[in-house]
Each structure stands twice: as structure tokens, then as C-alpha cells.
Amino acid sequence: MLVSLTVGKVDAGMAVLMTEDKRIVSSSIIEFPSILLPPDISSGSIVDINVSRNHTSEAASHKQFTSLQTTIYQTFGLHSPSPPILRCRNTTQTSIVLEWDPVELATAELRTLSLYRNGSKAGNIPKPEEKSSTKISGLAVDTEYTFHLVLRTSAGTYSSEKLTVRTHKMTELSGITVTPGIMPSALKESLASTLDRIGGKMIDTVRIDTTHFICTEGRGTGWEKAMEMNIPVVVPDWIKGCEREGRIVGVRGYYLNADPRLRNVGPGVLQQQ
């Protein structure tokens, strides 16, 4: 389509174009770059502008836009963060060790990972992208607790299923999880047999679910780590005492170099670990 327009004014690289009846095109002033007009134009010059639709450029632009939309969708729209999956790793009379799968963020950014106990926030998990377990201590004996995790991300908030756990009774020994340190091999074998009878576990390294470190000498990397993590360090007789009493016995008399007379625990004396 060919359009004839009159140059109304040329100023600072811009030209004002008007129709032949000297009315400004449309209801507002149209400024046209003078660099696109012939070099010898001036106020009053008449210029012809051929206007046509560029279907080729439109198609190329649409294709580029569609490709960009597809890339954005495939990058950010196909996957979203997953709710945490919470599990109980170990339970004792006064503590619970919880664990969960590594957080799945997809393309979102992590805000916080929080632990809730009985519906109230217990605190945020430090370094949630690296840490996948936590230990809750100081709990009441034979008491039910409900936990869940809340993952907050730039893509929204995701909660785990609620997990209900009951702490053990004093007579429940299956929560005992010991890491052995330096001791005679025969004593270690006897310790393993006793744990098997009472339902306890023996693990080779000090972990978050280690309840007691058992040894006859206070040295070695395992002993150092147990001390650092405030895990009770006791002699093998502590396990024998638990088996003999049929319940958890106090650890005070079974520390290294402790007075053996402190081990005289009888029926009715429930010393909580």
C-alpha cells in the first residue's frame, strides 16, 4: 500500500508527517526518523511510503518466540520440587533419630527445611542440601511424638507426610546401637553376642544413631569422635548389666575408670541414661 505524506517539520533527526489535507496522521503526532527519508527533504516536502506486511519476518519471529517458550517450559515447567520423605532411623528411651531422602529442588532455589514436632516448629535444619538426618534428644520415656518436614523453595512450600514415633520403655533394649572401640577380640565377640540376644545393634563407625561407644581404653579416632559428639563412653560390662537387669541401666558406674560399686543397680532403681 502506497501512502503519500507531507513533511510538516524536521527537527533533531525526527520528522513530523501529515496527510495531504495537512492534518496530522491519526489523533496523535507521528514522529518518523528523518534518516529514513530522502536527504533533501524539508518542511512541505511530499514523500511516498510503501507499507506492506512482511510475512517472512513474522514467521521467523514467531518461530523464534515459540522456540524460546519451549526452552523455558522444558527447563522450568516439567519438574518441580518434591515433598520430603521422612523416616525414623532409630529410637531409644529419650531420643529419636530421623532421616530423609536428599531434597529434590528441580530448578527452584532452596529457602529453608524445617522440622516440626507435634505441630510446632522445632527449628530449621542446618545445611539442608548436605544434611539428611537429625537427632532429637531429651524426650520423655514411652511417649508418642509426631514429626514432619516443611521444605520452602522459590517454587512453593512442600510438606512431608506426618511420622508418629513412640520412645521406648525402660525395658525395651532394641534401641541400643553401639560402636566398639579398643578391646580384646574375644570381648568384642562376646559383646556382639549379648547385643544379638537383647535386640541391640553394633555398627563399625560412630554415627548420629550411635547411642554408646564401648571400649576398654580411651584412645583412637572413634573414641575421639564419640567424645566430640557427647556419646556416652562405657565399658562392655554396661551391655551385660542391661541384659542382667532386663532394662536400660544408668551409665555412670560404667564409664572408664568409674568405681564398679556404682554399678549395683537393683530392681526398682530406674536410672535413665
Side-chain angles (χ1 to χ4, degrees):
M1 179 177 64
L2 185 65
V3 180
S4 294
L5 300 170
T6 300
V7 179
K9 181 175 68 172
V10 180
D11 183 27
M14 300 299 293
V16 177
L17 303 183
M18 299 178 294
T19 59
E20 292 183 352
D21 57 2
K22 306 303 184 287
R23 289 184 293 104
I24 297 177
V25 178
S26 188
S27 59
S28 60
I29 296 176
I30 294 180
E31 296 182 338
F32 195 86
S34 59
I35 193 173
L36 300 179
L37 298 175
D40 56 347
I41 61 101
S42 61
S43 181
S45 298
I46 297 177
V47 295
D48 291 337
I49 298 178
N50 190 13
V51 180
S52 62
R53 184 172 179 178
N54 192 329
H55 292 279
T56 302
S57 295
E58 276 188 16
S61 178
H62 179 73
K63 183 178 180 180
Q64 183 180 17
F65 177 77
T66 303
S67 176
L68 177 60
Q69 290 290 89
T70 301
T71 301
I72 293 174
Y73 174 71
Q74 291 178 344
T75 303
F76 300 101
L78 291 179
H79 305 285
S80 60
S82 301
I85 300 176
L86 186 62
R87 296 182 298 271
C88 177
R89 181 167 171 174
N90 192 50
T91 306
T92 70
Q93 282 69 21
T94 58
S95 67
I96 295 173
V97 176
L98 301 174
E99 65 178 4
W100 54 91
D101 293 338
V103 293
E104 279 291 339
L105 297 173
T107 57
E109 293 182 2
L110 176 66
R111 297 289 187 257
T112 58
L113 179 64
S114 305
L115 177 67
Y116 284 74
R117 182 174 74 186
N118 295 339
S120 299
K121 185 176 180 180
N124 292 333
I125 303 298
K127 299 180 180 179
E129 291 182 288
E130 303 174 12
K131 192 173 182 180
S132 59
S133 62
T134 189
K135 185 175 184 178
I136 303 95
S137 302
L139 303 178
V141 177
D142 191 22
T143 303
E144 193 172 83
Y145 294 90
T146 300
F147 302 93
H148 73 279
L149 288 171
V150 176
L151 174 65
R152 294 180 175 85
T153 74
S154 59
T157 301
Y158 304 83
S159 298
S160 71
E161 295 289 337
K162 291 185 177 180
L163 176 68
T164 299
V165 185
R166 177 176 287 276
T167 53
H168 287 176
K169 298 178 180 179
M170 293 302 291
T171 53
E172 175 59 65
L173 304 179
S174 62
I176 296 176
T177 303
V178 307
T179 299
I182 297 175
M183 69 178 72
S185 58
L187 190 54
K188 184 176 180 180
E189 291 176 3
S190 175
L191 176 64
S193 298
T194 304
L195 284 168
D196 187 60
R197 288 194 300 272
I198 66 176
K201 294 176 291 184
M202 179 185 290
I203 54 178
D204 294 332
T205 58
V206 177
R207 305 185 316 201
I208 189 173
D209 54 338
T210 298
T211 60
H212 299 81
F213 186 84
I214 298 184
C215 63
T216 55
E217 296 183 46
R219 57 187 177 90
T221 56
W223 173 78
E224 292 175 355
K225 188 173 182 180
M227 296 294 289
E228 180 183 341
M229 295 175 63
N230 290 322
I231 295 173
V233 178
V234 295
V235 295
D237 280 347
W238 180 77
I239 292 294
K240 297 293 185 181
C242 290
E243 182 184 33
R244 182 177 61 253
E245 297 292 331
R247 61 180 177 81
I248 295 290
V249 299
V251 297
R252 187 177 63 170
Y254 295 89
Y255 287 133
L256 293 177
N257 302 322
D259 187 348
R261 289 176 297 179
L262 297 175
R263 302 174 189 174
N264 294 327
V265 290
V269 183
L270 299 181
Q271 290 179 291
Q272 185 174 317
Q273 64 171 321

